[in-house]
């Protein structure tokens, strides 16, 4: 395994976005897939899903490991469209126990640039790095982790998006981060409106390194035209500012239910970028199927 494995966590419902994420990852790196190791955590995948993942990996000569992860028997809150697979990133320390650090990526992303600065990010002695959430920047300014006052938390505490994270696994173990995250699931499940992300924010105690937003950029120029993200006018950048930020994105993260692989993201550069990778991976998987017949 390479020094910094890139970890995804999915179930069968996220087969298509995972394929797109893998395709975009491989074609966006200066050296292609050479030197990359990807670990896909799951609790059981259908044979067809496994075959499609293998086809994309083989097409790029990507070092890929499918690894079954074990979650403890806890009351995982999956309301509001969540799934147990959301919590699989909490199994990262056990799943890549031989790695000093790991990068986690959600499957609903497209990699657009060189990930080496992310893989090598200086975490300044903190357990992990992440990007402050665009829609929920603080506990008091958003819908994340409802009940934070009841939990005795400061509303001004910065809140991160867990879709892109860089872990110093040794420091995470010393800090007890993942143990506290599982304890948050066990003791405060009803407060976890955004599932594992809320659990990790609760567990982190605000001890995390702030990464530049280009490593976890949401397509706000399109999402502002959907019913899912309604930001007050003072929180909305200009169209020009949004265009510049999205053009600079290394990782584009397609948050909200307006998923582009379902045709629900309004037209624009972000949707077009996703469509290009989706068509490429569809052709790749179809081509592999024809060769096997």
């Amino acid at each position: 395994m390479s020094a910094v494995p890139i970890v995804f966590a999915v179930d069968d419902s996220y087969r298509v976005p995972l394929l797109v994420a893998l395709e975009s990852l491989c074609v966006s790196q200066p050296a292609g897939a050479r030197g990359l190791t990807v670990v896909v955590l799951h609790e059981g995948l259908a044979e067809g899903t496994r075959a499609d993942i293998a086809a994309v990996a083989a097409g790029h000569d990507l070092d890929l490991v499918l690894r079954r992860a074990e979650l403890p028997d806890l009351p995982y809150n999956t309301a509001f469209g969540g799934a147990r697979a959301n919590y699989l990133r909490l199994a990262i320390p056990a799943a890549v126990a031989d790695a000093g650090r790991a990068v986690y990526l959600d499957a609903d992303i497209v990699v657009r640039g060189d990930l080496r600065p992310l893989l090598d990010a200086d975490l300044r002695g903190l357990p992990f790095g992440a990007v402050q959430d665009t829609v929920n920047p603080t506990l008091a300014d958003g819908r994340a982790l409802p009940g934070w006052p009841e939990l005795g938390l400061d509303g001004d505490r910065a809140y991160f998006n867990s879709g892109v994270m860089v872990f110093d696994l040794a420091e995470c173990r010393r800090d007890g981060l993942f143990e506290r995250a599982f304890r948050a699931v066990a003791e405060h499940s009803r407060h976890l409106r955004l599932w594992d992300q809320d659990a990790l924010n609760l567990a982190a105690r605000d001890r995390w390194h702030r990464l530049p937003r280009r490593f976890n950029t949401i397509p706000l120029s399109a999402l502002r035209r959907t019913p899912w993200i309604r930001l007050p006018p003072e929180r909305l950048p200009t169209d020009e500012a949004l265009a510049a930020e999205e053009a600079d994105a290394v990782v584009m993260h397609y948050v909200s239910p307006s998923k582009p692989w379902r045709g629900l993201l309004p037209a624009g550069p972000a949707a077009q970028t996703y469509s290009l990778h989706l068509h490429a991976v569809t052709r790749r998987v179809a081509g592999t199927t024809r060769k096997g017949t």
Side-chain angles (χ1 to χ4, degrees), residues 15 26 30 34 127 188 214 228 271:
R15 176 186 67 88
C26 293
R34 189 170 67 251
H188 304 296
R214 65 179 178 276
W228 304 110

Side-chain angles (χ1 to χ4, degrees), residues 256-273:
S256 91
S258 297
K259 302 302 188 187
W261 62 91
R262 296 176 183 146
L264 298 178
L265 187 70
Q272 184 179 19
T273 295

Side-chain angles (χ1 to χ4, degrees), residues 187-268:
E187 299 176 0
H188 304 296
S189 181
R190 66 189 178 92
H191 290 300
L192 306 185
R193 168 69 173 77
L194 296 180
W195 320 298
D196 63 292
Q197 181 169 284
D198 279 354
L200 283 165
N201 269 275
L202 182 57
R205 301 181 299 189
D206 204 30
R207 291 194 66 244
W208 54 281
H209 176 60
R210 277 62 166 166
L211 295 172
R213 184 167 290 179
R214 65 179 178 276
F215 292 118
N216 190 349
T217 301
I218 72 169
L220 189 55
S221 62
L223 290 174
R224 69 194 300 181
R225 308 199 302 274
T226 73
W228 304 110
I229 295 184
R230 295 297 186 193
L231 296 176
E234 63 272 15
R235 292 255 314 272
L236 281 173
T238 65
D239 289 340
E240 293 77 11
L242 284 177
E245 179 176 284
E246 292 171 22
D248 188 49
V250 174
V251 178
M252 184 71 74
H253 187 188
Y254 294 85
V255 301
S256 91
S258 297
K259 302 302 188 187
W261 62 91
R262 296 176 183 146
L264 298 178
L265 187 70

Side-chain angles (χ1 to χ4, degrees), residues 19-291:
L19 300 180
V20 171
L22 293 176
E23 178 79 13
S24 70
L25 169 64
C26 293
V27 302
S28 61
Q29 301 312 292
R34 189 170 67 251
L36 297 179
T37 294
V38 168
V39 178
V40 177
L41 304 183
H42 63 94
E43 290 189 288
L45 293 174
E47 183 178 344
T49 301
R50 288 173 170 268
D52 288 346
I53 295 171
V56 173
H60 293 288
D61 198 22
L62 173 67
D63 178 16
L64 183 139
V65 179
L66 294 177
R67 183 159 294 166
R68 183 182 287 270
E70 300 293 335
L71 288 175
D73 185 16
L74 295 174
Y76 297 99
N77 187 345
T78 59
F80 304 102
R84 277 177 62 94
N86 292 112
Y87 295 89
L88 284 173
R89 83 197 69 190
L90 301 184
I92 285 176
V96 293
D98 57 338
R101 64 163 49 193
V103 167
Y104 173 82
L105 300 178
D106 269 354
D108 56 348
I109 57 99
V110 160
V111 181
R112 303 178 65 250
D114 189 354
L115 282 188
R116 285 175 297 182
L118 181 64
L119 300 177
D120 300 332
D122 180 2
L123 301 181
R124 303 183 183 181
L126 294 168
F128 67 93
V131 174
Q132 189 167 5
D133 194 272
T134 302
V135 182
N136 306 284
T138 66
L139 293 178
D141 191 14
R143 295 182 296 172
L145 200 57
W148 57 266
E150 181 182 338
L151 294 170
L153 303 178
D154 185 345
D156 291 332
R157 180 195 285 190
Y159 182 91
F160 60 84
N161 185 285
S162 66
V164 178
M165 302 182 74
V166 187
F167 295 105
D168 177 334
L169 294 175
E171 186 59 34
C172 286
R173 293 184 181 100
R174 283 191 291 269
D175 180 79
L177 172 70
F178 288 92
E179 290 83 359
R180 287 196 304 278
F182 278 123
R183 191 158 59 246
V185 175
E187 299 176 0
H188 304 296
S189 181
R190 66 189 178 92
H191 290 300
L192 306 185
R193 168 69 173 77
L194 296 180
W195 320 298
D196 63 292
Q197 181 169 284
D198 279 354
L200 283 165
N201 269 275
L202 182 57
R205 301 181 299 189
D206 204 30
R207 291 194 66 244
W208 54 281
H209 176 60
R210 277 62 166 166
L211 295 172
R213 184 167 290 179
R214 65 179 178 276
F215 292 118
N216 190 349
T217 301
I218 72 169
L220 189 55
S221 62
L223 290 174
R224 69 194 300 181
R225 308 199 302 274
T226 73
W228 304 110
I229 295 184
R230 295 297 186 193
L231 296 176
E234 63 272 15
R235 292 255 314 272
L236 281 173
T238 65
D239 289 340
E240 293 77 11
L242 284 177
E245 179 176 284
E246 292 171 22
D248 188 49
V250 174
V251 178
M252 184 71 74
H253 187 188
Y254 294 85
V255 301
S256 91
S258 297
K259 302 302 188 187
W261 62 91
R262 296 176 183 146
L264 298 178
L265 187 70
Q272 184 179 19
T273 295
Y274 200 91
S275 181
L276 290 172
H277 290 293
L278 179 58
H279 289 158
V281 80
T282 300
R283 290 194 300 270
R284 187 179 300 281
V285 170
T288 302
T289 302
R290 285 195 298 272
K291 289 176 184 178

